[in-house]
Amino acid sequence: MASQQRQLHHLRFKQPVTWKAGRQIPLNELLKRLTALSQELQEVEQEEFAKETLSATAKELVSPQLLAHKDRGVRAYAAHCLVDVLRLFAPDAPYTPAELKEIYSLFINTIIHSLSDANHPYNSQHLYIINSLAEVKSIVLLADVPGATPLITQLFRECFDILATSGHDIGRHVEYNLSSILNCMVEESEMLPPEAVDMILAQFLHADPNVRNTSTKGKKVVALLSASDGQHKIPKPLPPSYGVAKNLCNSCVKQMARYISQYFGNVIIDASNLNAHNDEDDGTGSVSDEDMKQLRRAHRLLRELWRACPGVLQNVIPQIEAELSAENEQIRMLSTQAVGDLVAGIGAGGDVSPPSFNPCSYPLPATSIQDESRASGSIPHSFSQTHSTTFQLFLGRRNDKSHYIRGAWAQCVGRILATSAGEIGLERHTEETLVSSLSHMMNDSDERVRVAAVQAVELLSVSQIGRTMGPQGGVDTDGSLLHNLAERARDKKATVRSAAIMFLARAWASALADIVSGDEKIKELLGSAPSKVLNAYYINDRETNHVITQAVFEYLCPLGYPALKSKDKAPVNGDVHAHDGADAVFDADAIRTERILYLLDSLDSKARFVFFALIKQPHRLHPYLKLLLQRFEEYSGGVAKDGKNMKDVKDHLGKLIAYFAKKMPNIERAEQDLWKFAKDHDRRSYALIRFCMAHDSDYRKIHRSIKELERKMNGFPPQNAPTFETVRDVVLMSANLISNKSHVRPVIAFAQNSEHGLGAAAHELLKEISTETPDIFKSHSTELCKSLVDSAPEDADVEQSSLLDSLKACASFARKFPGELPKDRKFIQAMSQYALHGSPPVAAKHAVTIIMFSTDSKQMHAKNLAKSCLDDFQYGSSHFLTRLACLSQLMLLAAEDLEDESDSITEIAINHVLKSSQNSLTSDDKKDWTDSPDQDLQAKIWALKIIVNRLRHYNDPESVSPIAPSTYKLLNQLIAARGDLLKSSESPTPPHHRSRLHLQAAVSLLKLSSKRGFDALLAPSDFHNLCLTAQAEIPQLRIPFITKIRKLLGQDRLPSRFHIPVFLLAFEPRDDLREESATWLRARANTQRIAQERAAPSHNGTRRSSHVLEACLSRFISLLAHHPDFQTISSSDLVDMSRYFTFYLSCIATPQNLGLIFHVAQRVKSVADNLAETWEDDLDPSQRLYILSDLAQAVIRRWEEIKGWRLEAPTGRVSMPAGIFKTLPNSTTAREIATRNFLPSDVEEGIEGVVKEALGKGKKRKSDEGEKQAKKRAPPTKTKAVSRAPKRAKTPEEDEEEQGSDESAREWGSSKKRKREGKEKDETGSERRKSSRAGGRKSYKEDESEDEAEMMEWEDSSGGGVKLDEREIEQVDDAAESEGGDAEEEGESRDEQEDEQVDEKQDEKRDEKQSDADEELSDVPDNLSEHDMDIGEANNQEGKEEEEISAPESTVNAKTKGRKGKTKAAPKPSPKIGTRAAPKQAPRAGTRSSARRAKR
């Protein structure tokens, strides 16, 4: 025992450290004693020390004299000694609980609190103390001290304050020791204070950038849990407190899981209890704002806990699972978003940002490089596998009744796919489920869900899109997610359209590098995305057009591309960019041109129309913008100069500002901005805009001008500064950014070099530039001509298709600037070689055009070429097709110079070509159509063109009166015979020849009718045959025919009656053609209404009436009366015929013009048919007219009732066209016709169904959630002009007569059907046509019809007859006595029109010529946009060219007032003038009969 005591260390320090009252130890002495004691205790190990020698000193150390000493050194050394005492006496401390409480209060409030100051003079003592507490774990004694809860809370607060505020400056050893101390407390404490748990959890919210960056002194650390939502902060490195809290949760999983479960349970239960309480009180089921804030913070915390320490959430996930099924919408929303982020591995940091991408960067970054720039974190476990039940419930939220939750779910899916489920990945079937669900959400009934679905896909990079959505297919694959997204570019809601358009443009720009490198998978997915963007232009919406322009110049053809300075060097693609060699010079213009060509190459035909329309737009806007700048200068900021009237200047400026503002999405804001721009009166800005619109400005100059303009406008005073976006939009519309002089040379180089596969696109762009902007092309024409001379053909038969577009571009330039082309002999000889030996033959056409416009000796060269073509002409010889093409163009451009040779040329065309029977029918010739016509067919087409072009050369019909009848007879015979020229059984014309010749004849008649005065040569009956081409069985025949009509009508080059073939598309089996034509008709009608409003008033103050499309109804009824499908007057046939009228009304009718349309339909019963045709059903043509007139009126009335409109009395008077109608013999006949209803009694019910189907009323569509439902319309008040009288009882004679008529009609119809049975197509053809009648599928494309509420049903008690009152009968008598008056007026009108004719250039030249100021985007086929009409565009005046015939006015405005006396029975049909059997027609698609056959 003695030896053992000798080995233990006895305390050598014997001095007191406390004092009695009044005898205080001096401070220096006290510090010296405490220092000595601390050093001795620090050096002694626990096992080597005699504890009893320290007992007295240990008691002195807890004296308040030391623990509460005012000197920090004394407190520091006292704490240093106390921590060693606790170490030496462990595990039994020599202190009472009260003393321990004071000791730990010193440790926590003084020592740990001072750790944040690394420069503290006693910092070494502080570090030793916390190191001892961590290693010896003496901190656990605090857990056993009664009433120590505040101290424990203070311990956590002080530790986390230091770790959070001092950051990484405190050192890793301090962080480690504090972490060990807190970890020990969590493990040893039976129950941590709730405040301590809150502090631990609050550290995880440091990852949330929305949390305020507040100072966390004292109690502020808990403020992280109660911080209000703020703006996003720039992410900063996480403080050490985050790592400490994470270590606590991962090392004490069991304890922390219990605490965290209690925390979430309290938050969720509080919100649920309050929700239930509100349910019982007021039924609102809402949660207070404060509780929702707490709930949101809890769910943000949940996200971060899953990333950092998922083990502690084992008891929390079931609570979140219950939230997914909660009744409260807000709680379901939060839980859905939370679970989605858990699956995606997204913490409290929030959203996944879209992939960063600079569309102007060059070289184009590949998708793999783009993915590397995206930072994302990983999670330790897959949520979908760990908590599969909760994940399945999450999947069920895609069908939630709330559109908010469906939208949130869609965005969650986007984040899951973008992060690959926290970089863990998803199982294949799970990924397919998510993609499929997201695809269905693209067609959701609510627009906000559709927008959310588009935004979800925006989060994915191109490579992620290819990996996740590639198996479904690309934007062209029906049913795929990308296809559904692309369809949203034509959504009925502007917000959805804008989101889809910008995504498609951005995705294509991101994928361009892979598309250029030949990645077929990416090209299949996104290659046609630009087409979907530009096709949205056909919606005719200002905002959409603005978004498309923004997408083009921001992503597809960005202004700053390529983003490298010209002095830099960069990798190039091909010889086009630079010279050969490794040190190739960077050519920005060539690189930019290549991108434009790749864009053009990716566009379909419709999108190319839009793209070229954007190219044409600056050229057409230049006059207006030039005038606007001139008005700005005259306005001079509001101070008139040079004695000008300020009011006049302001009025003129206001009109121009209004014109440009109408092209902007926000008209009012655009007007305000342009007025501010005018008031600022910055002349430098005017000069910059002029630089942008100048033809001689290169791309670099335009781009710099736009950037300088932006800088200048941003420097304007804020109170007067206009929005730069408005001025920029005006500049972008007017600047030559695509068809720029800098791009012409690279385009020519690409056209001559097909290495990159862009030759065809380059040729097309070159042709467009030379045609629409020849001023830009002028400086490069010499280079193009030189290349054509070098490639001139010899006598050998060599195909030169690659030069065809160059020839066409040169020909277009020759029409505009004939003096700019070379006139030397070498060039003319080269063009002559093309004209005589060019291949394909169409090259000769362009070569002749160049010669005729560029040479001064036009007659000499024309005769030389004609002589070369005529000499030894032999059908089938070498280059005989080229000779025919050359003669065809010579006839168009130089027919007067070739009068002596004209007969010989015509003889070759007719006798040597058209009448030759070179063709022999083979198995290959049994096809109805071929895209590669053989030589025989090409020869016949060129021969037809020779004959027709001879007429087209002349402007005066009198000049061609000797030859015109035979030409028209030939063309009409071709159309009547469906293209059969010879009608020989020995050598029949092959079917594909007939189809091509039929189309060529129809197009030729259209071209002839487009010349003023020539339309009169086309008889009404021949016009009806021509119209039936629109219903030809072969789509390749009817589609070009309709397209040509729409183009010529869009250019105002055809009379108004040529709208009629477009109305025949009611039964068109191809949905795209029918819908496009309907959209085009609506645009025409809208243009007509706008032009009517703009028309200047006449001398009497009224506006000239020009209701062209409304007046066409009379011609349409006449055509249908002679239509082969109008076989019987049975109810079923008439109901089918009513579909023509519903199609007409869906395109033309508005609440304002419906009364006028009804007026025109009534007027048809005031005239008689004048085509002298009868049919086998004992009905004269006039009676057919009256049946269809009553049918049209019935359809219009039903349309009015279902739409909830009200017929308005028409203003003005619509005359009936002469030629197809004639006046009635007397007033008695007029009265009898007007009062008789020619419709069978059971037609009304069938009409109602057809009208409902046309209006989409057959099936109710679920209205968009959250939108206001349309109010139910009250039954319209029937006006006197259109109301119907009750049906009168039929006399026995009438009843017997009607029954006999019905029986004969049915018998005749049956015989006709039997005759047609042999010509019906097989079942395959019928099934193909059946698509024209199918319609149950709904989409969210732009819908032209109104989104109406459910109509109110009511029974129509009125009959079908129309009665007249006494006053109207007198009007009938007076009108009948003055028959023929209008015919005289019509003759005078025709004479005036002929007097107004002027000598014009050749019609082909007018085809290509476009007005600089009077044409805009509306001239593109399909009339892209009404908003792009010129400010001075005149209304369509085709109605003036029609002959008119008077009619009894009373029959038009027949009212429903009752008439006293008996009504006379309808007279029997008048004796027939002549009869003819209905012609046997070839099968036609898109007709009522074809649709009926498809049904069978």
Side-chain angles (χ1 to χ4, degrees), residues 1216-1278:
M1216 296 291 102
I1220 62 175
F1221 297 129
K1222 62 183 179 181
T1223 56
L1224 295 173
N1226 50 60
S1227 60
T1228 303
T1229 304
R1231 185 184 304 110
E1232 291 174 348
I1233 293 174
T1235 56
R1236 178 182 172 186
N1237 181 16
F1238 290 82
L1239 286 181
S1241 58
D1242 55 347
V1243 173
E1244 286 285 341
E1245 182 178 354
I1247 291 176
E1248 182 174 1
V1250 172
V1251 174
K1252 285 183 179 181
E1253 180 182 347
L1255 292 174
K1257 297 292 185 177
K1259 294 182 179 180
K1260 297 180 182 178
R1261 182 177 65 84
K1262 182 179 179 181
S1263 61
D1264 291 351
E1265 197 167 336
E1267 297 181 355
K1268 293 183 178 180
Q1269 295 183 354
K1271 296 181 179 179
K1272 291 187 176 181
R1273 297 179 175 87
T1277 304
K1278 298 183 180 180

Side-chain angles (χ1 to χ4, degrees), residues 1165 1190 1228-1238 1285-1286 1288 1294 1360-1365 1368-1369 1372 1451 1454-1455 1459 1463-1467:
K1165 294 184 71 174
D1190 284 338
T1228 303
T1229 304
R1231 185 184 304 110
E1232 291 174 348
I1233 293 174
T1235 56
R1236 178 182 172 186
N1237 181 16
F1238 290 82
R1288 62 180 177 85
E1294 289 177 327
V1362 180
K1363 294 186 178 181
L1364 292 84
D1365 57 15
E1368 291 170 336
I1369 293 175
V1372 173
T1451 62
K1455 299 184 179 181
R1459 179 191 174 197
T1463 304
K1464 295 183 180 180

Side-chain angles (χ1 to χ4, degrees), residues 328-330 332-333 336-337 396-412 438 441-453 455 495-496 1262-1268 1340:
N328 185 276
E329 183 178 299
Q330 294 173 299
R332 288 204 316 279
M333 167 77 78
T336 301
Q337 293 173 332
R397 291 304 95 207
R398 61 192 167 191
N399 299 321
D400 198 283
K401 61 183 179 181
S402 170
H403 60 82
Y404 293 110
I405 296 176
R406 296 199 304 275
W409 189 91
Q411 292 178 333
C412 289
L438 194 59
M441 285 193 162
M442 294 291 178
N443 298 323
D444 193 90
S445 60
D446 192 275
E447 62 177 293
R448 285 155 291 197
V449 179
R450 302 198 295 275
V451 171
Q455 293 172 345
T495 54
V496 185
K1262 182 179 179 181
S1263 61
D1264 291 351
E1265 197 167 336
E1267 297 181 355
K1268 293 183 178 180
Y1340 282 88

Side-chain angles (χ1 to χ4, degrees), residues 171 195 279 290 292 507 650 710 752 955 1003 1137 1227 1362 1403 1438:
E195 294 83 358
D279 268 340
E290 184 60 31
M292 282 307 302
K650 192 172 182 179
E710 181 178 7
Q752 296 173 350
N955 295 316
V1003 172
M1137 293 294 289
S1227 60
V1362 180
D1403 190 67
E1438 296 130 336

